[in-house]
């Protein structure tokens, strides 16, 4: 469970990741695209799965996720 500062940080990281994806894809993809892709797998999603899906859209490491596990 997350609370307070942790939840606020997560929201800021997701916002930054969304901006990074939109910039890298010239507006053709977003954080929603990552989530849709992961939901289609029909299985549990790990941090590594999430990071890989984002990296695929960005075509490289996600700066927004640099300080995340």
């Amino acid at each position: 469970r997350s609370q307070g500062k942790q939840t606020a940080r997560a929201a800021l990281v997701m916002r930054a990741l969304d901006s990074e994806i939109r910039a890298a894809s010239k507006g053709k993809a977003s954080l929603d695209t990552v989530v849709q892709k992961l939901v289609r797998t029909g299985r549990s999603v790990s941090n590594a799965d999430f990071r890989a899906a984002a990296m695929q859209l960005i075509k490289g490491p996600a700066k927004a996720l640099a300080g995340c596990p």
Side-chain angles (χ1 to χ4, degrees):
R1 285 180 160 253
S2 67
Q3 295 179 345
K5 289 181 183 181
Q6 189 175 14
T7 300
R9 176 162 159 59
L12 292 174
V13 168
M14 292 301 111
R15 184 175 182 186
L17 180 60
D18 184 56
S19 294
E20 195 173 341
I21 293 168
R22 287 175 191 270
S25 69
K26 295 183 171 79
K28 294 179 182 173
S30 68
L31 185 57
D32 289 343
T33 310
V34 173
V35 173
Q36 290 168 1
K37 180 177 181 161
L38 294 170
V39 167
R40 277 189 227 118
T41 68
R43 60 181 180 80
S44 294
V45 176
S46 68
N47 286 352
D49 294 332
F50 182 81
R51 187 180 298 270
M55 285 177 62
Q56 199 170 36
L57 293 173
I58 296 168
K59 301 197 183 343
K63 293 176 188 170
L65 299 178
C68 301

